[in-house]
Amino acid sequence: MARIFLTGVAGFIGFHLASKLLNQGEQVIGFDNLNDYYDVNLKKQRLSILKENKNFVFYQNNLENLNILNEIFKNKDIDYVVNLAAQAGVRYSLENPAAFVQSNLVGFANILEVCRHHAVKHLVYASTSSVYGLNQGVPFSEKTPVNHPMTLYSATKKSNEMMAHAYSHLFRLPTTGLRFFTVYGPWGRPDMALFIFTDAIVKGLPINVFNHGNMIRDFTYVDDIAEGIKLTLFKPAEPSLEFSPLYPRPDISSAPYRIFNIGNQKPVQLMDYIRAIEKNLKLTAKIKYMPMQDGDVPITQSDTSALKDWVGYIPQTTIEEGVKNFVEWYQKR
């Protein structure tokens, strides 16, 4: 039984990953500050389910508190770490940048420190497709430099990748960053498009559709994401023989460091996504077409061939099935 320290455990992806790990008999030491960025009751409901498993332990605190992290690591003999805790929200980073600096930079630095000092076998951490920023060549490849972020949120995630590389190089700490592409599914966050659209349609309210609906997203079902994280966690990053210091690729290194996209690789038109919601609700959306938002991009599409080669990652869930599962959860919650 592996002992896994999982931050952001009460969050959307953290909850699904913890459930998967617990179901296969691992011990999960969960960590979350339960902040009020969105409805705390939803986080508490997720936690109440996890707490039914005897192999689950929970700590409520902030990543910025290095003392409490050190105390946990001294007492729990942790094997692996998954860092999903972060201040989320591309658009929220325009309103409250300080929250992103504290959680995503200071907090992540503390995670690296405790992993370094406590012989952790592998650190897997959440990055984002947002790091591709101004890049327009799709599908997005990890081999492409990502030096032009469009928001502070994406800049902090790019910084996490660079910080992780430094620790992998200096201390031989195996680290893997996973760039998530538009995750959706049951227990999703209320600030995400699927929840917002479904809630508004049910209540007869208009939905804002940006860039006049001309958006394409690599929507990825949450259980596929959780499976990919789990597979990656138990295969620690290794130095790559393909790395050349003369022509350095950003996704590999002479250090035990890797970067992978984790997406569905089958982008969907936003309007088709909305039609799938309408079909499952048996209701018609009232659509208000809007211009493009600051910090947004018209298309995301992942190239996940590297992760497939590394751990056999193949997403299984279609948009039709995933949206159906979400709507059923929404109606029962």
Side-chain angles (χ1 to χ4, degrees):
M1 179 174 65
R3 292 170 297 278
I4 300 155
F5 185 68
L6 173 52
T7 74
V9 72
F12 173 37
I13 299 172
F15 164 69
H16 284 275
L17 176 60
S19 299
K20 188 175 288 286
L21 291 169
L22 290 167
N23 287 341
Q24 76 170 34
E26 315 297 354
Q27 182 179 4
V28 175
I29 299 98
F31 190 92
D32 203 295
N33 68 358
L34 298 181
N35 70 25
D36 60 359
Y37 169 65
Y38 64 88
D39 186 4
V40 176
N41 288 322
L42 182 57
K43 300 178 182 182
K44 290 180 178 178
Q45 288 169 23
R46 297 176 185 136
L47 274 180
S48 67
I49 294 172
L50 296 176
K51 287 178 178 177
E52 293 174 2
N53 192 300
K54 61 181 175 59
N55 287 330
F56 180 71
V57 178
F58 177 65
Y59 294 89
Q60 182 177 348
N61 217 298
N62 294 306
L63 288 182
E64 298 92 304
N65 190 335
L66 182 57
N67 289 335
I68 191 68
L69 289 174
N70 275 320
E71 199 168 312
I72 294 169
F73 275 67
K74 285 177 185 176
N75 294 329
K76 291 297 181 181
D77 194 20
I78 288 163
D79 299 308
Y80 300 92
V81 174
V82 182
N83 185 61
L84 300 179
Q87 180 55 60
V90 171
R91 296 175 190 112
Y92 187 58
S93 67
L94 303 175
E95 303 169 21
N96 189 5
F100 289 78
V101 171
Q102 287 300 310
S103 180
N104 300 9
L105 296 180
V106 176
F108 189 66
N110 288 343
I111 286 291
L112 289 168
E113 273 293 286
V114 290
C115 288
R116 166 197 172 190
H117 289 292
H118 294 277
V120 166
K121 295 177 183 177
H122 192 198
L123 164 62
V124 174
Y125 60 94
S127 188
T128 171
S129 62
S130 297
V131 299
Y132 289 102
L134 293 178
N135 292 16
Q136 292 188 354
V138 291
F140 294 141
S141 168
E142 306 94 331
K143 298 177 184 178
T144 306
V146 287
N147 298 323
H148 301 89
M150 295 173 64
T151 65
L152 180 63
Y153 169 70
S154 55
T156 62
K157 289 300 188 177
K158 165 65 173 173
S159 299
N160 287 172
E161 295 178 3
M162 297 172 71
M163 294 161 71
H165 184 270
Y167 272 70
S168 293
H169 173 72
L170 291 170
F171 309 114
R172 312 315 289 177
L173 169 66
T175 68
T176 299
L178 295 175
R179 294 174 176 169
F180 298 153
F181 280 73
T182 317
V183 189
Y184 75 100
W187 294 95
R189 298 200 324 251
D191 67 319
M192 300 176 85
L194 182 53
F195 200 115
I196 292 171
F197 290 167
T198 302
D199 200 52
I201 294 169
V202 167
K203 294 175 181 176
L205 300 173
I207 60 175
N208 293 331
V209 176
F210 294 97
N211 201 33
H212 306 283
N214 298 314
M215 307 278 275
I216 298 173
R217 287 290 178 269
D218 199 335
F219 295 105
T220 314
Y221 191 64
V222 66
D223 196 57
D224 290 329
I225 289 281
E227 180 67 16
I229 299 171
K230 185 194 78 173
L231 292 172
T232 305
L233 182 63
F234 295 114
K235 186 173 182 181
E238 299 171 351
S240 174
L241 296 176
E242 296 179 48
F243 181 77
S244 167
L246 295 177
Y247 304 98
R249 273 173 44 186
D251 59 322
I252 58 176
S253 177
S254 55
Y257 169 89
R258 291 301 302 258
I259 295 292
F260 294 107
N261 290 332
I262 181 165
N264 192 45
Q265 205 166 269
K266 296 177 182 177
V268 174
Q269 291 279 352
L270 178 59
M271 296 310 299
D272 290 339
Y273 193 59
I274 293 170
R275 291 186 191 104
I277 302 170
E278 292 176 319
K279 178 183 176 181
N280 282 280
L281 288 174
K282 298 181 173 58
L283 295 169
T284 302
K286 298 176 181 177
I287 296 175
K288 182 179 179 182
Y289 291 105
M290 306 283 285
M292 180 73 87
Q293 289 192 111
D294 289 340
D296 216 341
V297 295
I299 181 171
T300 64
Q301 181 182 356
S302 63
D303 176 352
T304 61
S305 56
L307 190 58
K308 179 182 178 182
D309 291 344
W310 186 247
V311 295
Y313 170 76
I314 302 175
Q316 302 292 323
T317 312
T318 64
I319 280 291
E320 292 76 17
E321 182 184 353
V323 170
K324 178 177 180 289
N325 292 344
F326 173 84
V327 169
E328 288 177 353
W329 168 79
Y330 174 90
Q331 291 173 329
K332 292 175 183 176
R333 80 193 202 290

